[in-house]
Amino acid sequence: ARRLVEAGRTELVLTGVHLGQWGKESGRGLADLIEAVGNVPGLKRLRLGSLEPFGIDDRDIDAMASLTVFAPHLHLPLQSGDDGVLRRMRRPGTSGQFLELVKKLRGALGDGLHVSTDVMVAFPGETDEAFSRTLDVLREARIGRVHGFIFSVRPGTPAARFPDQVDRQTGKHRLEELERLGRLLLDEQAARSLGRSVVVYAERGGKGAPSGYTGDYIEVHLPASYERDKWYTVQPIWKEDGVLYLERPNETNRPE
């Protein structure tokens, strides 16, 4: 991390499989890693990759809250907001525990914390009512970005042998409804930055104008005069499809 920051990479992301379990075999924990990397001189922003909700403890939350460089965005896979479906998936925890965790995180990291998530629809046994409960949990948790996908049978797995498989067409309809809600929720998260000063690292360029992300992981489309690999403090005045703009886009300045 020190070498990366010294080389000019001043935003870092800690990522891995079961990230919350980092260090447990050596008697340490994710909080130790967050604090060590977060205090590297010159670092301006630290993010976490996908983090299983059951992998977060109070010390992790305290470590995040103690760092001014910690980005107010966490990706916490929910998969389903129905407890019956979660049990069939063999996932630990309940929808209620997920909601309580989000509430605790916002209490420590700020009400503007952006929580994104993964949701699987059409898992065997998912009824219309169970799917509706998932949508309710997403609304109640004020989730922003939603990565949705349809259950796909994998031969040899227990779920492949469940008798109550959900037909593909129903899965497609549910995914479409989930994605509609996801676009609305992301737009609501983006709206929180309108008229406010936000810090953006311009990390994308190419043929069109550069773009980057706010601390809470909302994309900001920047004017063509802005340069890549630089930090900017900007004030978005327009949002569209979950993207922020410094001016109202038209056909000539929309991102490609």
Side-chain angles (χ1 to χ4, degrees), residues 44-45 196-202 213-214 220 222-223 226 230-236 246:
K44 292 187 177 181
R45 183 180 285 165
R196 299 181 179 182
S197 293
V198 296
V199 178
V200 178
Y201 181 65
Y213 289 87
T214 62
V220 181
L222 299 167
Y226 285 51
K230 287 191 176 182
W231 290 91
Y232 294 97
T233 298
V234 298
Q235 192 172 82
L246 307 191

Side-chain angles (χ1 to χ4, degrees), residues 42-215:
L43 182 69
K44 292 187 177 181
R45 183 180 285 165
L46 176 64
R47 296 190 186 276
L48 295 185
S50 182
L51 188 62
E52 291 288 349
F54 63 80
I56 303 175
D57 59 28
D58 287 345
R59 186 158 176 264
D60 295 332
I61 298 174
D62 290 342
M64 298 175 201
S66 70
L67 296 171
T68 57
V69 298
F70 190 80
H73 166 253
L74 290 170
H75 187 82
L76 309 177
L78 172 64
Q79 305 301 358
S80 175
D82 180 80
D83 291 347
V85 172
L86 289 173
R87 285 192 296 270
R88 290 167 69 87
M89 289 179 172
R90 297 184 181 176
R91 289 188 61 80
T94 65
S95 59
Q97 289 171 331
F98 182 88
L99 289 169
E100 282 300 312
L101 174 61
V102 171
K103 182 178 179 181
K104 179 186 286 188
L105 286 165
R106 289 206 171 105
L109 302 176
D111 192 59
L113 175 71
H114 175 190
V115 177
S116 56
T117 196
D118 298 330
V119 172
M120 178 188 291
V121 300
F123 191 81
E126 182 188 63
T127 62
D128 289 341
E129 292 76 16
F131 175 65
S132 292
R133 279 191 283 274
T134 295
L135 300 184
D136 289 342
V137 170
L138 295 177
R139 295 186 190 97
E140 187 173 349
R142 277 188 15 235
I143 296 299
R145 195 179 305 274
V146 179
H147 174 220
F149 53 102
I150 304 174
F151 169 78
S152 182
V153 175
R154 295 290 185 268
T157 62
R161 299 191 294 271
F162 289 163
D164 44 2
Q165 302 287 325
V166 179
D167 68 271
R168 194 71 179 174
Q169 195 61 33
T170 297
K172 288 181 178 179
H173 288 321
R174 288 178 183 170
L175 182 61
E176 289 169 359
E177 187 172 353
L178 175 70
E179 290 176 339
R180 281 195 297 272
L181 176 61
R183 288 191 292 270
L184 176 63
L185 293 172
L186 182 60
D187 215 43
E188 290 176 355
Q189 180 68 33
R192 302 178 69 88
S193 294
L194 289 177
R196 299 181 179 182
S197 293
V198 296
V199 178
V200 178
Y201 181 65
E203 59 185 79
R204 296 184 179 183
K207 295 181 181 179
S211 67
Y213 289 87
T214 62

